[in-house]
Structures are given as C-alpha cells and as structure tokens.
Amino acid sequence: MALDWLKPKTKASEVPTGNDTASESESVIREGKLAYIRFQSGNEAGASYQEAVGAPVESKSPLGYNVNWITVIFLNVNMMVGTGIFSTPGNILRATGSVGLALIYWVIGFLMAVAGFSTYLELTAYFPNRSGGEVVYLEQAYPRPKHFFPVAFAVQSVLLSFSSSNAVVLSRYLWRIVGRESTEWEMRGVAIAAYTLAVVCVIAHNKYSLWATNVIGALKLTLLIFISITGLVILGGNVDRVPDPHRNFRDGFRGTTTDGNDLASALVSIIFAYTGYSNAFNMANEIKRPVQTIKRFGSASLGVVFVLYFLCNIAYFSAVSKEEFAESGEIAAAVFFRRAFGEGAAEQALNVCVLLSSFGNLLVVLIGQSRTIREIGRQGVLPFTEFWVSTRPFGTPLGPYFLKWLTTFIMICAPPAGDAFTFVVQLKTYPDAMFFAAMVAGLYLIRHRRKRSNQPQPEFKAWHVVVIFFLLVQIYTLVMPWFPPEGGPYAGAVSFWYATYCVVGIGIMILCGIYYVFWMHVLPRWLGYRMRTQVLEVDEDTGANTHRLVRVPLEQLADWDATHDETGRLKRRNVSGGSDESLPAEDKAETTTTATATGKDV
C-alpha cells in the first residue's frame, strides 16, 4: 500500500528555480552562517546535503546492509503489534462508550499514522544517508544554537531509555501460561530474564536477530489473520457458542460518551496501538535505496496492520457482548477466544502467541532504539564517544544495547510497584511529545532553508495538510494531559496530582537548557577555551566514524580554525604550496583527524 497518492515523486536532480541554483557537483552550499555539505554513503541513496554541525555520514554502514524489504515490513509490524491489539480494544470501547465510535477511532488512528509516516518519509528523503530517525531530524532542523538539541535529546534519551513495560507484560503472560499468580519479585525476575535474553540475541548477531524479527512478525500476522477469519465465520452464524453475532452492531452508536477526558484517553490508546510505523526509519543507512524501499514496504506494513486491526475488532465485537468486552481490560483477546472456542487449549495457545508477540516487540524496540542512541553518540555530546559508536566485536552497537539493558534493569528492580513505577513510565512520554512536536515543526524550517539556499528537491514531499494534521496531533498530545480526569485532580493513574509527570518532564528540559548554557558557554569563558567538533575515524575496516567535541585553548583557536573545515575534518594542503583546501566531505579514506589534534576531549 504505497503512499504515491500523497505527493508526486520528484527527482533528486530537480532543483528550485533561482539566480544561484545549486548544482549537484557542489560540495558546499553556504547560506548565512550555515554550511551545507554534500555527502554520499553506500546505501545507494544518492548524494544529500546536511548542515556541517551534524554528525558525519558513514560512507559504509558499520552495521551492514541487512535490512531488506521483508525486514522493513516486520520492523514496523513487530513494533506496532506488541500486546496492544490484544488488550487496548476493550479500553477503547469503555472510553468511547459505543461500538460504532470505537471502530471510527481505529480509522482515525490509521489516518494519524499515515500522516506521521509521510512526515518521517520526507525527513528521511532529506537525509537518506543517516540512521537514527528523530536524532538526525532535530539536529538538522535546529543547527543553532550549536549542539543544543543534541545535548537535550541525549540527556532525555539516556536517562529515560528503558523498556520495562514491555518486559513486565511478557512476564505476566508467562505466569498466566504457567497457571499461577506470581509474587512481585518472581514477576520482576522473569521480566529481567526475558529482557536479558532479548539483549543477548541482538548483540550476538545483527543479521540473525533481524531474521528472528521476521519470523516472529510472520507469526503475529498469522495470528491476526486467524482472529479475523474466525470473526467472519462467527458473523456468518456458523458458531453455536455465539447465538447472536450481530447484537453489538445493531444501533452501533448507542451509549456514545460525551465526556471529553474519556475521548482523549481513547485517542491516546489508539496512538499507542499504531506506534511503531516509524521504526524502519531508524535504520535508513542500513537499507539500500531507503526512501523508495520504506515508501513502498513501510506503507504496506501500515496498511496491512490497519486492515487486520479493524477486522480483529469486528471479530471481538461479533463474539463478545459489549458490556463484557468493555470490562475485559488487558485480556480482551482472551475473552474472545473463550467465547469462540471455549476454555482450555485455545486460550492457552493465545497466551503463548501473545508472549511471542511481546518478545518480538522487545527485539525490534532494542534494534531501532540502539540506532537512535548510537547516532546520539556520533554527535559527540556524550562522554566515551567510541563506546557508543563502535560495532566491535560482534558487528552490533554494544554500548547502546548495554545502556538499554542497564536502564531497564534499574526500572524493573528499583521503583516499588504502584505509583512510583507508573509515574516514571509516564515521565518518559511528555519529553518525547515535546521533541516530536519540535521535529514536525522543524520540517518547515528545513523546507524553508533548503528553498532559500536552492538545494535539490527531495525524492518525496508530503502534502501540507498531512504535515499540519500530524503537527496538530503532537500539540494535542502536549495539551491533553493537562485536563483533569473526571474524578478530580487526584483521580488519575497515580494517587498524587495527575499532571505531576508533565511538570517534571518540563523541568527536565529546563535543566537540559541550563546544563547546555553552563557547559557550552559559561565554562569555556571561565576557563579560556572554545568547543570545536572533530571527526574521528573509529574503525576504518567497518567504516564507523563520529564527531567528537574537544576543548581548544584560546591561544590555539586560530590555528585550529585554519586547519579544520566546517565538519571538523583536517584541511588538505594545496599541492602548489598555496592556501589550504577543504578535504571533500565524502572522501573519508584520506581523512586523519588524530594526527594534529591539539584540543582536549570533552
């Protein structure tokens, strides 16, 4: 289900009209204080321009090119289809109050996902040679003040890079299969063991872990197809256990709620159910012809998931009464299986399938977010730069995987069950929403700058109405949490004030700003140095490189600026003995930055 209808495809060689139209042969395009450098990598995406402050493009992906069209589909499918479709339909029905409105919400969720997918696709078309998704888009949309967005995003991502919720859900399903209630620490122990197994799998071998996600993704689709077909059979009146399969569809809008908070909560659940359509964008530099491949097969994954989501809801409503289904909570699919097949083996088989689905979700979240964290490391704003960037010894990003495991381990073990755990999980959502809103708004900044500097048009460009719709969704996710729940300010998911996590999330961003000013401006003035970026070749064999921030003393600053170009690479001496020339940005093989580095590592 390709998105060709969103916007006619433009050729990379086409450029906007103007007096000084940029030629594809130009290696640098200057616009005010910004310098756009032409890069090209080995993923057959063609050359692209990015502002010099950004992390350098890797001419050869250190993680290989193992993400083919099948993997693109299942990277997204596995992340979208976690446990949501097996649990959230009951919550959405309870919030909306009617079957008709609940079904409409699933369509609205699909439209929001299409808008988001289109926005991501255009941003990837501008920077097809970089993995990392939002990291790259924010870095390029807001290059000034230098390193501010990389610092803020890095702090938030490192502190809140846990996946404890998915691991805990997996643990609960495993204990359900065993057939007994677990103690709190038994549940946590299994969650840690499951997450550790997932981390070991993705560390051990990149290619095989991607194959595993393909297999589990295929099993997920098979399960959803089975539920969908079962629902159609029930609607045909061929299941004696369900005497009246049409009862929920008569007067389908009966009971529709008018409570704004309930409608808002339902929309949040829908957004959660479709989260994951952007996962393949995190791996753009590992995909051959990424814009074309993701456009075709990423959109296909979204279309298939929507159709199966809708049919599964039809199946649920055909088998289970509205009242019972609204109270089903996280075991909505289990209630359906009991009504369709009776208690016993069928319900147990469902639990096994949901457990595998949860494990597949753990794998793809690890894979996608490891690329995000690695790209943060490549911006040079984290200490121990090589630790985040290196792919040795297994050809996988060991540093990001270790960080994910450590933060998840702490989140599973440290907070007591109840308010503390819920609060910390909520805390991650608000800064995320702030960055997503900034990213979408940043698309218009990128468009404006590229037009003003006469850069080539991207391969894909989303309609304005689509981008604005997605921007409004982000604004909604920022505003909605401030509306108090129906029971008052202390009737939310925690026993204390319902919007505490919003205030703390904003506070974290303010602290990031204070830290940035102190680190990038106050300390350098006090101690007599300036911050500069330097390109570091981490491993010539794998092609891994990175930016590294260094402190250059004021007395050495003029020499540093004279011998390094905008990207932080050494300039190449003119063979005639004249002035220095900038080394071509894409010519990494001849670049050696460590030989004359006079600054000190940050």
Side-chain angles (χ1 to χ4, degrees):
M1 185 178 177
L3 295 176
D4 297 287
W5 52 273
L6 287 173
K7 193 72 176 178
K9 181 179 175 182
T10 56
K11 297 181 181 179
S13 59
E14 293 178 351
V15 294
T17 57
N19 295 329
D20 299 309
T21 300
S23 167
E24 288 227 359
S25 62
E26 291 184 74
S27 60
V28 181
I29 297 176
R30 300 185 185 278
E31 188 243 326
K33 294 182 178 180
L34 303 180
Y36 297 93
I37 314 298
R38 186 171 181 265
F39 289 96
Q40 187 163 358
S41 68
N43 65 349
E44 301 177 12
S48 62
Y49 287 89
Q50 71 168 34
E51 215 282 322
V53 73
V57 168
E58 292 173 312
S59 59
K60 179 178 70 172
S61 171
L63 295 160
Y65 299 99
N66 300 308
V67 184
N68 55 26
W69 65 271
I70 296 175
T71 306
V72 166
I73 291 175
F74 288 120
L75 279 170
N76 291 353
V77 166
N78 269 300
M79 195 162 177
M80 282 187 283
V81 186
T83 59
I85 188 57
F86 307 115
S87 59
T88 56
N91 298 329
I92 291 169
L93 176 62
R94 184 170 60 253
T96 56
S98 70
V99 171
L101 185 58
L103 291 175
I104 289 175
Y105 260 57
W106 286 95
V107 177
I108 293 173
F110 171 67
L111 296 177
M112 291 191 295
V114 169
F117 185 90
S118 304
T119 302
Y120 274 84
L121 188 60
E122 180 177 345
L123 287 164
T124 300
Y126 291 128
F127 315 108
N129 302 307
R130 296 274 303 278
S131 295
E134 296 91 352
V135 179
V136 181
Y137 312 147
L138 289 167
E139 169 201 272
Q140 291 297 307
Y142 304 98
R144 301 295 183 275
K146 279 187 177 182
H147 310 301
F148 172 71
F149 266 84
V151 167
F153 195 82
V155 172
Q156 181 261 355
S157 298
V158 169
L159 292 179
L160 305 175
S161 63
F162 50 82
S163 299
S164 52
S165 298
N166 291 332
V168 169
V169 168
L170 186 150
S171 177
R172 287 174 177 165
Y173 270 94
L174 184 59
W175 285 109
R176 187 175 295 167
I177 292 170
V178 172
R180 75 173 181 86
E181 289 290 329
S182 65
T183 66
E184 183 64 30
W185 280 103
E186 283 176 335
M187 183 275 294
R188 295 186 184 193
V190 171
I192 292 169
Y195 197 74
T196 301
L197 176 60
V199 171
V200 169
C201 289
V202 295
I203 284 176
H205 202 287
N206 186 44
K207 187 174 184 179
Y208 292 161
S209 63
L210 291 172
W211 286 359
T213 64
N214 293 346
V215 172
I216 295 176
L219 291 174
K220 289 185 183 186
L221 291 185
T222 301
L223 176 60
L224 295 187
I225 291 171
F226 176 75
I227 294 174
S228 301
I229 293 175
T230 301
L232 296 177
V233 172
I234 292 173
L235 280 175
N238 298 311
V239 178
D240 294 336
R241 295 177 182 275
V242 185
D244 186 8
H246 302 282
R247 62 190 181 281
N248 288 331
F249 300 101
R250 300 189 191 99
D251 193 14
F253 288 93
R254 177 177 55 85
T256 299
T257 184
T258 57
D259 184 88
N261 187 267
D262 285 342
L263 294 174
S265 298
L267 197 59
V268 171
S269 296
I270 284 290
I271 294 172
F272 170 77
Y274 283 101
T275 296
Y277 63 80
S278 62
N279 198 30
F281 293 105
N282 290 325
M283 307 175 72
N285 199 33
E286 300 172 51
I287 305 172
K288 294 288 187 177
R289 297 176 295 279
V291 177
Q292 299 173 34
T293 303
I294 299 177
K295 176 184 177 181
R296 182 176 302 172
F297 299 106
S299 60
S301 69
L302 180 54
V304 168
V305 166
F306 162 66
V307 171
L308 292 177
Y309 273 1
F310 198 84
L311 291 177
C312 283
N313 274 273
I314 295 293
Y316 294 157
F317 296 142
S318 69
V320 186
S321 69
K322 172 185 171 182
E323 292 72 22
E324 183 181 6
F325 194 73
E327 298 302 321
S328 61
E330 69 175 34
I331 57 171
V335 173
F336 164 78
F337 266 67
R338 280 201 300 270
R339 288 289 171 268
F341 302 104
E343 296 184 8
E347 187 177 351
Q348 194 76 337
L350 171 67
N351 289 332
V352 172
C353 290
V354 175
L355 184 145
L356 288 174
S357 179
S358 300
F359 188 73
N361 184 266
L362 289 181
L363 290 178
V364 296
V365 170
L366 274 166
I367 291 169
Q369 291 187 359
S370 70
R371 273 54 173 183
T372 298
I373 296 171
R374 182 176 184 272
E375 203 64 24
I376 291 171
R378 293 186 65 249
Q379 293 175 324
V381 297
L382 294 177
F384 314 113
T385 304
E386 294 185 51
F387 172 75
W388 307 106
V389 176
S390 176
T391 58
R392 292 193 177 275
F394 304 112
T396 53
L398 190 62
Y401 284 143
F402 176 75
L403 173 67
K404 288 286 296 179
W405 180 87
L406 181 63
T407 55
T408 300
F409 177 86
I410 293 172
M411 268 302 299
I412 292 174
C413 291
D419 283 353
F421 182 85
T422 302
F423 170 74
V424 176
V425 171
Q426 286 181 331
L427 180 60
K428 178 177 171 57
T429 63
Y430 206 74
D432 279 348
M434 295 170 68
F435 282 118
F436 281 131
M439 181 195 76
V440 184
L443 174 60
Y444 281 102
L445 295 176
I446 293 172
R447 284 182 177 182
H448 175 68
R449 294 194 195 104
R450 289 178 65 92
K451 181 178 181 180
R452 193 166 59 182
S453 58
N454 295 309
Q455 294 182 47
Q457 290 283 352
E459 280 187 79
F460 178 87
K461 193 171 184 180
W463 284 345
H464 285 292
V465 65
V466 172
V467 180
I468 291 173
F469 175 55
F470 190 54
L471 179 59
L472 292 176
V473 171
Q474 307 313 311
I475 295 173
Y476 170 84
T477 60
L478 287 173
V479 173
M480 184 279 298
W482 292 96
F483 287 92
E486 190 173 1
Y490 300 99
V494 293
S495 60
F496 42 89
W497 187 52
Y498 70 99
T500 302
Y501 74 96
C502 300
V503 175
V504 176
I506 294 173
I508 290 175
M509 293 297 98
I510 293 174
L511 287 176
C512 285
I514 295 172
Y515 170 75
Y516 170 82
V517 171
F518 183 77
W519 180 55
M520 290 293 294
H521 297 286
V522 177
L523 269 183
R525 288 182 182 276
W526 282 355
L527 301 180
Y529 65 86
R530 293 292 181 268
M531 302 291 272
R532 292 292 187 266
T533 54
Q534 178 188 43
V535 176
L536 175 67
E537 302 294 335
V538 176
D539 192 335
E540 293 184 4
D541 293 335
T542 65
N545 66 16
T546 181
H547 262 169
R548 177 172 61 180
L549 295 187
V550 294
R551 297 191 294 263
V552 182
L554 291 178
E555 61 270 18
Q556 300 177 14
L557 190 62
D559 181 62
W560 177 279
D561 290 340
T563 56
H564 292 77
D565 65 12
E566 293 91 343
T567 67
R569 286 184 165 85
L570 285 174
K571 294 180 179 178
R572 180 172 55 196
R573 179 68 63 180
N574 191 308
V575 294
S576 64
S579 61
D580 290 341
E581 293 180 348
S582 290
L583 190 65
E586 62 268 31
D587 187 9
K588 298 179 178 62
E590 299 181 26
T591 307
T592 307
T593 59
T594 56
T596 60
T598 56
K600 296 179 180 180
D601 292 350
V602 173

